[in-house]
Amino acid sequence: MTSPVRPTVVAYAKKVSEPSQDRSLGDLVGLGDGLGPIGMTIGGDPQPKASRSKTSSNQGNGSSLPPLSNGGIELGPIGLTLGGVATPSDLTSQDMESSRPPSIHSMTTEQWRAQYQQADGTVDLWVEEEFNAGSRLMGGRAVHNGGVYGFRTGEGVSAGDVTSHKVKIYDHYSNQVLDVEVPEDRYILWEAEDKGLELPYACRMGCCTACAVRVKEGTLIQPEALGISEELKEKGYALMCVCFPTSDLVLETVSEDEVYELQFGESFAQQALDPSNPGSVKRDDWALEIANMDE
């Protein structure tokens, strides 16, 4: 049994001089010269077609394609050829190296290996270094290099050059009244937690309603609050995890059920719970059983 043919995909990008108008694909001397940015080979060296038959292209109502044995050179911007390793005739290793974007890492490969690679060629699975900082630190390499997480985003510490406002929160979950001063460049939830207060939360990115509050007094902005509609925002609802105070505030927590009913309950009742509505969605108990893992 012969071994399967494995395709080799070659993708190159190189700025070349403007080709002449009469240049034909038969002039090619290497894959990648005129096939566009992408070439694909599956064995065998590509052989340029010596000439193009004008008569064959004008037969019938459309042009005919050359056989695959011609190397795929006339397939347009994507070439399919059989055999060999594709090498552009005019693309050097220096060209490829110069086209690479600059590394954001502060160390070269040799420096990294000298510091972290052990004598047997292995690296400690739990090594703490700049490259893997994104998977183990909030803030990634910026924090690894001594920076501060979330600076100027609302999640990180305040820059210290903005006004702070007094925020009073009536937390119905803990039956407490909480007071905290929050700068205008900090999310209320994050600042409250840094001050040792415990407030409800879940996603911490404005996509759910676990930290929802009703604004009783004052103003705030919440451009990242995707979990509540614009209509509810206008009615005074906000998400503490992604809102900035713009004045002194009085807030009170609300249950997720309240927000859900206001946002989806009415539509759900009309479309799924009203049997007299001809457009009502038919209930699928079997799908519900699967969803609830009820056998």
Side-chain angles (χ1 to χ4, degrees):
M1 180 181 294
T2 60
S3 59
V5 178
R6 299 183 181 277
T8 302
V9 179
V10 183
Y12 296 109
K14 182 177 186 296
K15 184 177 181 181
V16 297
S17 57
E18 185 69 20
S20 61
Q21 297 296 325
D22 60 349
R23 182 182 178 184
S24 67
L25 289 172
D27 297 330
L28 299 178
V29 294
L31 185 64
D33 290 336
L35 297 181
I38 299 177
M40 181 176 181
T41 63
I42 312 182
D45 292 328
Q47 299 296 327
K49 191 173 182 180
S51 63
R52 187 172 184 173
S53 174
K54 296 182 178 179
T55 58
S56 63
S57 63
N58 294 325
Q59 293 176 356
N61 294 326
S63 61
S64 61
L65 292 175
L68 190 60
S69 60
N70 286 334
I73 300 236
E74 294 190 14
L75 293 181
I78 299 180
L80 176 65
T81 60
L82 301 177
V85 178
T87 304
S89 61
D90 59 350
L91 189 63
T92 67
S93 59
Q94 184 176 2
D95 292 328
M96 296 176 64
E97 186 68 27
S98 62
S99 66
R100 292 180 180 176
S103 173
I104 64 172
H105 206 285
S106 61
M107 303 171 66
T108 65
T109 301
E110 291 73 19
Q111 291 171 335
W112 188 92
R113 287 175 175 170
Q115 183 167 342
Y116 297 110
Q117 187 169 292
Q118 301 176 16
D120 59 358
T122 62
V123 177
D124 183 3
L125 180 62
W126 310 110
V127 64
E128 295 185 1
E129 50 85 59
E130 182 180 349
F131 186 76
N132 68 16
S135 63
R136 62 182 175 80
L137 286 176
M138 291 181 64
R141 60 189 299 272
V143 174
H144 177 84
N145 291 330
V148 179
Y149 167 70
F151 189 66
R152 295 286 193 185
T153 68
E155 297 179 0
V157 297
S158 171
D161 56 357
V162 296
T163 303
S164 292
H165 301 286
K166 295 180 179 180
V167 179
K168 183 182 292 291
I169 306 169
Y170 290 89
D171 183 7
H172 300 307
Y173 293 99
S174 63
N175 293 320
Q176 292 181 318
V177 179
L178 308 174
D179 292 283
V180 60
E181 284 199 12
V182 183
E184 289 186 346
D185 62 351
R186 192 87 197 275
Y187 291 146
I188 292 175
L189 174 66
W190 296 73
E191 182 69 13
E193 289 179 335
D194 281 359
K195 298 289 179 60
L197 304 180
E198 293 186 7
L199 289 168
Y201 70 87
C203 74
R204 305 180 71 86
M205 59 178 62
C207 293
C208 73
T209 54
C211 66
V213 291
R214 185 184 297 106
V215 181
K216 306 295 290 183
E217 297 178 18
T219 58
L220 53 78
I221 56 174
Q222 48 179 341
E224 306 298 329
L226 304 179
I228 53 177
S229 64
E230 291 299 324
E231 181 181 0
L232 286 186
K233 292 177 184 178
E234 292 173 359
K235 290 182 178 180
Y237 289 87
L239 301 178
M240 290 187 291
C241 68
V242 290
C243 66
F244 301 97
T246 55
S247 73
D248 290 349
L249 287 166
V250 177
L251 312 173
E252 65 175 353
T253 59
V254 296
S255 69
E256 290 188 84
D257 287 343
E258 176 181 335
V259 179
Y260 178 86
E261 288 297 328
L262 289 171
Q263 195 155 226
F264 307 110
E266 183 177 349
S267 298
F268 183 78
Q270 292 176 350
Q271 299 179 28
L273 300 179
D274 184 3
S276 63
N277 180 6
S280 179
V281 178
K282 185 178 180 180
R283 175 170 169 170
D284 190 339
D285 288 335
W286 187 71
L288 292 174
E289 290 177 3
I290 294 178
N292 293 326
M293 302 299 290
D294 184 4
E295 300 179 353

